[in-house]
Amino acid sequence: MKTNIISNKTLILRIVFAIVAVSLVTLVISTEYLKKTAINTLASDDAKKTAQLVFETMNTRMQEGWTKTDLDKIIDRLEYIRNGMRISSYRSKEVEDIFGVVPRDKKIVENDPLIQKAMNGEEVFLVDEETGIVRFLYPMKTDENCLICHSNTKMGNVNGVLDISFPHSDIKISLDSMSMYIITFFIIFILIFFYIFFLLINKKMVNPIVQLTNEIQDIEKSKDISQKVIINTNIEELIILQNSFNNLLETIKYYYAKMIKKIYTDELTSLPNLAKLQQDLENIDLNSSLIIIDIKSFGKINRVYGIKVADILLQQFSEITKRILQKNGKLYRLYGDEFAIIYNTKVTNDNILYYINKLKEHKFNYKDIEFLIDVTVGYVDTQDGNILENGNIALKSAKQMHKSIMRYDESLAIKDEDNNHMVWLKNLTDALNEDRLVPYFMPMKNTKTNKIDKYETLVRIEQINGDIVTPDKFLDVAVASGLYPLVTQTMIKKTFNYFKDISDIKFSLNVSLSDITNEETTSLLFKSLNEYKNSQNVVIELLETEEISDFVLLNNFINNVKKYGAKVAIDDFGSGYSNFNYILKLDVDIIKLDSSLVENIFTDQNAAVVVSNVVNVLKELGLTVVAEKVATKEIEKILTIHEVDYLQGFYIGKPKSNLLKG
């Protein structure tokens, strides 16, 4: 970095001074050039014109018969008219032959080679550098008028030489010539001025700015904030800008490093966190292992002793685990009381047992309270697919099986509930997209007529291989994923379409409380009821999925259903909100007994008493009673004796997709 730093103002002043200095030098040089040009060019022209004027004057007088003496007088007069001018004339040999030799002039001609040169017909012009005297030797050549007197000459022969001299200060220059030289000088001066200005500004200001811009762009393209901008300049403002930018880069680097550390570091334990583990797993050695650790019953410590004590124990746990590991692995804190270790080699149960035993030997403490910490461990070899997910499956399986150590294998993945949820979510999504969600119809037997005249609509998935999937596999997934409204809407469309030309069979549709609050679902249901000509054959079954609190909402829905002549049933009576108090608040037509009341009615006398009393009360209220899960002939007989109106279950009949096949 240069030390002779200057500001922009100082630089501009220097440039101005430099240009002024150069301008002055240029002015002096140009003046000398003009002077020399005037002497060499303009003086030559002026002298030639003067010589021609003198020659014409002398020629005219000689034709009038004037002698040399007369001519010398004229020359004297001409010298007087122009200050400092001296004029001499010299005869050629041919003129001397006619008019005689002038000894003085003859001697001068013989001793002056320039006059001799002019006698040969060549104009001679020169300037004395010391005295500044301009001298012009003009050869006087013969023309037609001269032949009258100079009969011994020919046209173009030199009759003599005019020798004219005068100071260069007395040069006569025309206005046009002077204007041309001034304009030329001014143009040259402006060009020189701007060229110098351009060179200085470009070198001192433009180039450093361009260099600064280019280096900033290079850093931007490379995204490498470790670089620095270094420009070749001594301008204070540009140096400040350069340093400010470099300081900004350093600040960004500092906070970027802090941000990265915060992103990848657990604040409590200062251990690398889950994000760092995921990053490190991308480049993990295939001969290593991943260990996932969960501290047993740590939630109780947190609840009983508080967050502060729990945090201190987590910090102690981190330090002890690192001490046990030494250099055999790297410890991470995932979240809460879960930790992970990337073990340098393939880990074994013996390695894990050694760690657990060492951990149990240590007494964790806070003030005077001692804690013994035990852990559950799941581990996986790093070549086993999705390492982190598989490690978590192993840990979860260890917890579920109440084991301290569990190694991952494929059988655990098959049993893993979360994994199954993802599989069934894909199956359900594919079934919706490929129109493989279909209605099946569960027969319901009328105990009075002993005939099947009603069916409950149930949802199924038809697999591509022909298998039929029941809703216990995918319905919870549909609710959790937000696909449940699509399932209900598909069943409404397909069921009404199936029964559009069937008038002698009643059917029911299951609707949950979440469906009732879904405007798109209820609009589709009411539209379908309005368009179906046998809507009196339809029963809407309200599924009990949660406690109900908004009776106004539910009764509005029931009233809208009944406007079309359809009936409303409550499913699973005997659990949840389905008690007598709620029955009195809802204008329903049918009650379906919960399967828990039906399944044990043949073997459990208490169950039989409950069913008998419940049915009697419902009958008194004028409600139709339906029993589900009728699995045996004995259950059917008991329920018939108790005057249950409809029965359904595998003993009565299994669900089928087509009622017309018999």
Side-chain angles (χ1 to χ4, degrees), residues 1 211-212 215 219 227-233 242 246:
M1 185 62 65
Q211 185 185 1
L212 177 65
E215 294 207 17
I219 292 174
Q227 299 184 55
K228 283 191 176 182
V229 171
I230 300 176
I231 58 174
N232 183 22
T233 184
Q242 167 192 278
N246 287 334

Side-chain angles (χ1 to χ4, degrees), residues 24 47 79 110 165 219 273 285 292 404 425 435 501 519 555 570 611 642:
L24 291 174
E79 289 177 343
E110 289 176 349
S165 63
I219 292 174
N273 59 13
D285 187 345
I292 309 292
S404 295
L425 176 58
D435 196 30
D501 297 322
E519 185 177 345
N555 271 317
I570 287 185
V611 169
H642 288 298

Side-chain angles (χ1 to χ4, degrees), residues 393-579:
I393 289 173
L395 178 64
K396 186 191 299 183
S397 299
K399 290 180 179 179
Q400 290 171 348
M401 298 178 189
H402 304 289
K403 294 185 176 181
S404 295
I405 304 171
M406 181 68 72
R407 182 186 183 279
Y408 170 81
D409 61 45
E410 291 183 359
S411 64
L412 297 180
I414 295 172
K415 296 176 184 178
D416 181 58
E417 184 179 348
D418 291 339
N419 187 55
N420 283 336
H421 281 181
M422 296 303 296
V423 170
W424 282 113
L425 176 58
K426 185 178 187 310
N427 283 340
L428 176 59
T429 304
D430 291 344
L432 286 167
N433 293 335
E434 298 167 9
D435 196 30
R436 291 190 284 105
L437 206 68
V438 296
Y440 266 58
F441 307 103
M442 185 79 167
M444 302 172 67
K445 184 177 181 180
N446 189 325
T447 58
K448 292 181 176 62
T449 64
N450 208 32
K451 292 181 180 179
I452 294 174
D453 59 8
K454 186 185 294 185
Y455 292 86
E456 179 184 0
T457 304
L458 303 172
V459 63
R460 298 287 189 268
I461 289 178
E462 286 185 346
Q463 297 285 62
I464 295 175
N465 63 4
D467 292 344
I468 304 300
V469 180
T470 54
D472 57 297
K473 298 288 195 305
F474 62 84
L475 213 54
D476 287 342
V477 174
V479 173
S481 63
L483 294 176
Y484 186 79
L486 292 178
V487 174
T488 303
Q489 291 163 24
T490 301
M491 286 300 97
I492 292 172
K493 292 175 184 177
K494 291 194 173 184
T495 302
F496 275 100
N497 184 64
Y498 184 84
F499 286 101
K500 65 181 179 179
D501 297 322
I502 300 175
S503 60
D504 58 343
I505 298 178
K506 298 177 181 179
F507 66 91
S508 65
L509 277 168
N510 293 318
V511 176
S512 70
L513 295 179
S514 64
D515 290 324
I516 294 173
T517 58
N518 187 297
E519 185 177 345
E520 188 175 352
T521 301
T522 55
S523 296
L524 176 63
L525 176 61
F526 296 144
K527 180 175 180 292
S528 301
L529 285 169
N530 184 55
E531 294 175 352
Y532 184 50
K533 58 185 178 181
N534 299 304
S535 58
Q536 72 278 1
N537 289 340
V538 180
V539 176
I540 303 300
E541 292 192 20
L542 302 179
L543 300 176
E544 191 229 344
T545 57
E546 55 185 310
E547 287 282 341
I548 182 169
S549 59
D550 194 344
F551 288 100
V552 175
L553 173 68
L554 193 55
N555 271 317
N556 285 339
F557 173 77
I558 293 171
N559 291 334
N560 286 329
V561 169
K562 289 192 172 187
K563 285 179 183 179
Y564 300 100
K567 291 181 171 53
V568 178
I570 287 185
D571 196 16
D572 297 332
F573 180 84
S575 64
Y577 70 75
S578 300
N579 55 51

